[in-house]
Amino acid sequence: MLKKDEELKGAAFPQGFRTAGVKAGIKKSGNLDVALIVSDVDATAAGVFTTNAVRAACVEVSKAAVSGGALRAVVANAGCANACTGEQGLKDAKETAALAAEKLSCAANLVAVASTGVIGVNLPMDKMREGVSAAVAELSDADSKNAAHAIITTDTHPKHIIAETELGGKTVKFGAIAKGSGMICPNMATMLAFITTDANIDAALLDEALKEIVEDTFNMISVDGDMSTNDMVLVMANGMAGNEKITAKGADYDKFCGELKEICTALAKDIAADGEGATKFLTINVTGAKSRADAKAVGMSIAKSPLVKTAFFGQDPNWGRVVCAAGYADAQFAPDKAVVSFGDEVVYKNGLGAKYDADKLRGIMAAHDVDINIELNLGDFSATVWSCDFSYEYVKINGEYHT
């Protein structure tokens, strides 16, 4: 069950996890920019990474680390993506992992690394070395506020969440921090999500659970249709809750997956709602599709349409843009069968615009949270995609985002 994270415990909430966030001078703003998450014992680990053919050095290093099924720590920096930096970038990412490992007295292959920021710039290793050392010295289980702040870039706020449940008669805790605001479109996005839990679970089952859950959560968001070079979701489960190890699918596995999915859903929605310059949070519900793939394709087509997004920013009930985007999706779509509504107000059916209450629709469009509902009437499959609008501020933010 998700809980209010009023104390900003985040990734430090489960037993045996400590975090830190420090200023290393990597961000031009001078804000916190190096984060560290550490488990007191080796933790079972799983990860999902960007599918972009252009991958940052941190992705390659972290994929290799996670392939072993265990992690002790994650080092993340903001202000430099360390992407498209060739052999030097890979060397720097490996050195970052080795630096943390030395300070934590563990093997380098138990340390994952993550970066976010401008592409094509080498990591300033003199600053990273100092940042890693400072972060190790400041590790604490009090909260993960500084770590959450250290990984954000254009985010308006850090993302953090906690949850708690019972497995095998033991209280099991979950915590997470994440970042993401722009270059957000799966699979996945310029997003980093680090999830910790003191649950005891088999590595192969954790990997399977994470991959399935990411598909329904982080892979269902779009801010701007751009896929990143750096995104990753990592889960560390250190077993310190003392529950009997989950080694097979069953009631405990299902309960574990339920908690993990709630966390990922909440973080995914927070990222979409915090899109660069966003003024609206759009939930796109597609029902009645011939397949789940069709439902997702229609939802994503609408979510990524600049014309749809600008219409909602302008509070313009231009349903034609939604229908158009649904029609060019790579999915079966029958114009005479589809029904489109904004909120509970039908705006399109039988291939034509519907008569609607203009005052009610204006009220729906004026709200921050808006539901776009598309009933395809072709099958039994559905999907929900989360997105946001495009505002003038989005162009300003990205026009000024440079080295």
Side-chain angles (χ1 to χ4, degrees):
M1 181 177 65
L2 296 181
K3 301 177 66 176
K4 286 186 177 180
D5 194 10
E6 295 174 346
E7 298 179 347
L8 306 181
K9 293 286 287 186
F13 182 59
Q15 294 183 62
F17 283 97
R18 294 171 292 149
T19 71
V22 300
K23 297 178 181 180
I26 301 172
K27 285 181 180 176
K28 288 186 176 181
S29 64
N31 292 331
L32 297 167
D33 51 20
V34 173
L36 181 61
I37 301 172
V38 176
S39 172
D40 290 341
V41 298
D42 290 358
T44 299
V48 177
F49 304 87
T50 182
T51 57
N52 197 324
V54 181
R55 292 183 290 274
C58 60
V59 172
E60 304 298 346
V61 171
S62 293
K63 284 181 74 173
V66 170
S67 68
L71 288 177
R72 177 67 70 86
V74 179
V75 183
N77 75 274
C80 175
N82 193 20
C84 300
T85 49
E87 288 300 317
Q88 186 60 48
L90 191 59
K91 180 182 176 181
D92 292 342
K94 289 180 177 178
E95 182 184 346
T96 300
L99 284 168
E102 181 182 2
K103 298 289 183 181
L104 298 169
S105 300
C106 71
N109 63 359
L110 292 175
V111 180
V113 292
S115 298
T116 182
V118 178
I119 293 170
V121 179
N122 289 103
L123 271 177
M125 289 306 295
D126 55 338
K127 295 177 180 178
M128 279 299 299
R129 294 182 191 104
E130 292 179 4
V132 170
S133 295
V136 171
E138 293 189 16
L139 283 169
S140 170
D141 61 3
D143 59 56
S144 60
K145 178 182 178 181
N146 285 348
H149 276 279
I151 62 174
I152 65 174
T153 50
T154 57
D155 308 56
T156 64
H157 63 271
K159 285 83 175 171
H160 51 88
I161 199 165
I162 59 174
E164 193 171 82
T165 191
E166 187 175 286
L167 295 175
K170 301 291 185 178
T171 298
V172 172
K173 297 178 178 180
F174 296 76
I177 60 172
K179 68 83 57 180
S181 186
M183 200 180 276
I184 299 291
C185 184
N187 301 304
M188 288 176 296
T190 299
M191 51 152 286
L192 303 176
F194 307 122
I195 304 167
T196 60
T197 177
D198 49 22
N200 193 7
I201 183 170
D202 174 75
L205 286 178
L206 181 62
D207 181 69
E208 182 178 350
L210 181 63
K211 284 181 169 62
E212 289 181 359
I213 288 167
V214 163
E215 183 59 30
D216 287 333
T217 56
F218 293 117
N219 280 356
M220 299 299 280
I221 60 176
S222 178
V223 167
D224 45 24
D226 277 323
M227 184 191 297
S228 168
T229 56
N230 288 58
D231 46 271
M232 66 177 71
V233 177
L234 298 176
V235 179
M236 299 170 67
N238 68 11
M240 292 184 69
N243 63 292
E244 184 176 349
K245 188 173 185 177
I246 301 172
T247 57
K249 293 183 180 181
D252 280 356
Y253 176 78
D254 291 343
K255 199 168 185 181
F256 175 90
C257 289
E259 293 297 323
L260 186 58
K261 187 171 184 178
E262 277 198 63
I263 286 172
C264 292
T265 299
L267 291 174
K269 291 168 73 172
D270 196 2
I271 289 169
D274 193 34
E276 290 171 341
T279 69
K280 305 282 183 183
F281 175 55
L282 308 178
T283 299
I284 304 163
N285 301 300
V286 182
T287 54
K290 286 284 281 186
S291 67
R292 187 185 180 282
D294 276 5
K296 180 177 178 178
V298 170
M300 275 294 176
S301 185
I302 294 166
K304 292 191 286 186
S305 166
L307 291 177
V308 170
K309 295 162 83 65
T310 51
F312 278 87
F313 170 65
Q315 301 181 23
D316 174 16
N318 195 334
W319 54 263
R321 295 182 180 183
V322 173
V323 174
C324 178
Y328 64 64
D330 185 17
Q332 292 190 47
F333 182 81
D336 59 327
K337 292 185 178 181
V339 178
V340 177
S341 62
F342 298 164
D344 60 358
E345 193 70 10
V346 175
V347 295
Y348 171 89
K349 64 180 179 180
N350 300 324
L352 301 167
K355 292 183 178 180
Y356 54 78
D357 184 323
D359 289 337
K360 182 178 179 182
L361 196 57
R362 276 193 291 271
I364 291 171
M365 299 293 287
H368 176 268
D369 296 356
V370 183
D371 283 1
I372 305 170
N373 305 305
I374 306 93
E375 169 57 60
L376 300 179
N377 285 309
L378 296 173
D380 300 321
F381 294 88
S382 62
T384 296
V385 173
W386 299 288
S387 189
C388 61
D389 60 345
F390 268 165
S391 70
Y392 309 126
E393 192 66 17
Y394 177 85
V395 177
K396 185 175 186 294
I397 289 169
N398 284 282
E400 296 175 355
Y401 191 74
H402 51 74
T403 56

